[in-house]
Amino acid sequence: MSRTSQTLIAFVTGCVTGAALGLLYAPEKGTVTRDRLTYQLSKYREQLRSLLDELLSSDALPDSFAKTEGQRVVNDAREKAEKLLEDVDRLMAQIKQQGA
């Protein structure tokens, strides 16, 4: 597994773990917790988007098998990142809906 894939998986795991623990051990009211969770998710979404942009703009690979393989890894990471962004957006919508 490439370093980029490992970083992306570690990032997602950290996001999910943090969100779950935050919900389980939240000492504040639900509205405060939802606001904080929404804020954190939006920060993670921004970080994920910047990571995705960085991966897509990387032109450092030479024309060869390595470039082809690197492009495949980048495309896989992009697809996973886009799915994660959709999941974050869905979670934020659910949080806002519960707060209303």
Side-chain angles (χ1 to χ4, degrees):
M1 191 179 302
S2 74
R3 183 175 181 195
T4 303
S5 297
Q6 290 175 343
T7 301
L8 189 58
I9 289 170
F11 176 75
V12 172
T13 303
C15 290
V16 171
T17 303
L21 288 175
L23 288 174
L24 289 174
Y25 294 104
E28 287 107 7
K29 292 183 179 180
T31 55
V32 174
T33 302
R34 284 190 290 273
D35 289 342
R36 285 187 179 186
L37 189 55
T38 300
Y39 174 74
Q40 288 295 327
L41 285 173
S42 67
K43 281 180 38 181
Y44 292 141
R45 180 177 53 185
E46 291 171 15
Q47 290 175 350
L48 190 55
R49 284 184 198 261
S50 92
L51 177 63
L52 180 60
D53 290 341
E54 184 180 318
L55 285 172
L56 294 177
S57 66
S58 175
D59 294 331
L61 297 174
D63 289 334
S64 66
F65 173 75
K67 183 175 182 177
T68 304
E69 187 65 19
Q71 192 62 38
R72 184 188 65 76
V73 169
V74 168
N75 287 338
D76 288 346
R78 179 176 36 101
E79 289 173 11
K80 290 176 184 177
E82 288 172 352
K83 176 153 179 20
L84 289 172
L85 286 170
E86 290 172 6
D87 291 344
V88 167
D89 289 338
R90 192 175 318 113
L91 278 172
M92 288 176 65
Q94 287 176 351
I95 290 168
K96 288 179 183 178
Q97 191 176 47
Q98 288 178 356

